[in-house]
Amino acid sequence: SRQLGKMHFLIKREEKGDLRKDARVQDLNNVINRVLTGMVGGEKGSAPSSGNSGAGRRLQVRTFSVTCLSEDTGILEWVPNTVALRRIIQATNNPQCPESQKGKGFRIGDFGSGRLRNTFAKCQDKYIKDGDLSQATELFEKNILTGYPPVLYWWFISSWSDPHEWFEARRRFTMSVSAWSAIGHIIGLGDRHAENILIDTKCGEVIHVDFD
């Protein structure tokens, strides 16, 4: 028989959650991917549509297998070449920043910092509680971006030196973030943070995990 090689997986037991939610989200994502590629609603055997459709934009989300053994225990397919968004940000420095702002990638991922956490909370409250988006944006730019310059875009530059590969990685990142944002809004996906949002370091695609 053909050798399949090594197969990596994760055995997980939820302390308080229900692993069946992860399985149902993957089922939903498989259906969404079929819709986006034009396989649902069209004639059998017809080619996917192009132009502004999901097929033309190659819009889809990455899925992985989830096999539930009980309500709180199951086997999850391991998604290779992925790193948590937080770790990427912490490990990235923007060499174009002033010397005094070097290493901010590590610091912005440190939510043990009360000052940083409180500053984020003030920006959020200005929008969520007061409904003032323009003021919240101004506070964010003044109190966060000034002291903590963006570093994620530099990770793309340093990871893909070839212009075509860099552009393709950014495109995959943008399209996957867009798809996940729409899906998350529809199903009311919560508990999103920089540890359960992963990035494929080979292509730049975003993968969400942990849907309990």
Side-chain angles (χ1 to χ4, degrees):
S1 62
R2 186 176 64 177
Q3 296 294 324
L4 296 178
K6 292 183 178 180
M7 299 181 66
H8 300 274
F9 56 88
L10 170 68
I11 299 178
K12 183 178 181 180
R13 182 179 184 276
E14 295 279 3
E15 293 185 3
K16 299 180 180 179
D18 190 336
L19 199 62
R20 294 174 298 182
K21 293 181 181 179
D22 291 68
R24 295 291 77 81
V25 170
Q26 296 309 312
D27 291 340
L28 172 64
N29 287 343
N30 283 322
V31 173
I32 290 175
N33 283 339
R34 293 178 61 197
V35 172
L36 292 175
T37 54
M39 295 176 62
V40 173
E43 296 183 1
K44 185 178 180 180
S46 61
S49 58
S50 58
N52 292 327
S53 67
R57 295 177 179 273
R58 291 181 288 171
L59 189 62
Q60 64 177 2
V61 293
R62 182 85 64 88
T63 60
F64 52 90
S65 298
V66 179
T67 302
C68 295
L69 304 178
S70 65
E71 293 182 6
D72 59 357
T73 307
I75 302 174
L76 287 76
E77 177 186 0
W78 190 266
V79 185
N81 306 317
T82 54
V83 179
L85 175 61
R86 181 180 180 182
R87 294 188 181 183
I88 288 178
I89 293 175
Q90 286 182 320
T92 303
N93 288 319
N94 186 345
Q96 296 180 336
C97 293
E99 190 64 31
S100 60
Q101 296 178 337
K102 295 290 179 64
K104 296 293 186 177
F106 176 79
R107 291 180 57 193
I108 201 169
D110 180 18
F111 278 88
S113 168
R115 179 178 178 275
L116 179 61
R117 188 171 59 251
N118 293 336
T119 303
F120 266 116
K122 289 179 181 178
C123 297
Q124 289 179 324
D125 289 345
K126 182 58 66 173
Y127 173 62
I128 297 175
K129 295 182 179 180
D130 301 340
D132 192 338
L133 178 59
S134 61
Q135 185 65 25
T137 303
E138 184 179 338
L139 284 175
F140 182 80
E141 292 178 348
K142 178 181 178 181
N143 298 324
I144 300 296
L145 292 185
T146 301
Y148 302 86
V151 295
L152 185 59
Y153 80 95
W154 192 260
W155 177 76
F156 281 90
I157 295 175
S158 59
S159 298
W160 289 279
S161 57
D162 179 80
H164 176 75
E165 294 179 353
W166 166 82
F167 180 83
E168 184 65 16
R170 281 176 57 98
R171 187 198 66 79
R172 285 178 176 269
F173 176 85
T174 303
M175 299 303 288
S176 57
V177 167
S178 300
W180 272 112
S181 297
I183 294 170
H185 177 73
I186 292 171
I187 67 176
L189 182 62
D191 189 31
R192 295 298 91 191
H193 51 78
E195 290 287 354
N196 57 25
I197 300 176
L198 312 180
I199 297 182
D200 189 323
T201 58
K202 297 296 184 181
C203 67
E205 187 177 9
V206 167
I207 303 100
H208 282 239
V209 297
D210 192 4
F211 302 101
D212 178 59

